[in-house]
Amino acid sequence: VTDSSTAEQAFDSIVASLDGPMVVVTAAVGSERAGCLVGFHAQSSIDPKRLTVWLSKANHTYRVALRATHFAVHFLATDQFAIARHFGTTTGDDGDKFVAWPSNSGPGGVPILADVPQWMALRRVALLDEGGDHVCVVGEVTAAHSEHGFTPLRLSQVAHLQAGHDAQERHSPPTERATSDLS
Ligand SMILES: Cc1cc2nc3c(=O)[nH]c(=O)nc-3n(C[C@H](O)[C@H](O)[C@H](O)COP(=O)(O)O)c2cc1C
């Protein structure tokens, strides 16, 4: 066992013990709506109130969020596994996920899931690609809703799901002209 694999195993063990709460991040540009299940997220400022999410470069949601002014973060409750499965195992590259789960239009046209009472709509203030397989997206809260306290759906309840896109996947072709260069 090498030092680096020991470190990676310890890393995974710590993350599993943290058992973080799961969210659905949504974004839209015009009529193109996007959303995916996200485990990488955290509050990142107190005043102003900011929340940061990390989106996989493989995801349809990432490609839409790059062009969107706002994104929304929906905090799933422990009995909302079906929403997690839908947004975490299917991809917007194949069709509009919001046909199955109704949404309303929030600030900047961002989809707000009708069935998730605790959510935040955020205006994107920064985006950082630090070279990993996920990109850091920072938002400042513009609207939020919470009906009552809730028990979060946690990573251990969804870790067995097969993600709609593997983190190493990349959209192909990367540009439209890349297609004609091949022909
Ligand atoms: C347990 C679990 C955690 C995930 N965490 C993230 C995450 O933090 N960020 C992310 O962009 N995708 C994450 N995903 C992957 C996406 O939810 C998944 O690939 C989704 O199908 C992508 O949909 P899209 O292509 O419509 O954006 C996670 C998936 C699972 C099952």
Side-chain angles (χ1 to χ4, degrees), residues 37-40 54-56 59-61 87-88 90-92 97 164-165:
L37 182 67
V38 162
F40 299 164
W54 283 263
L55 295 179
S56 168
N59 290 356
H60 174 253
T61 305
F87 281 91
T90 65
T91 173
K97 296 183 188 181
H165 279 303

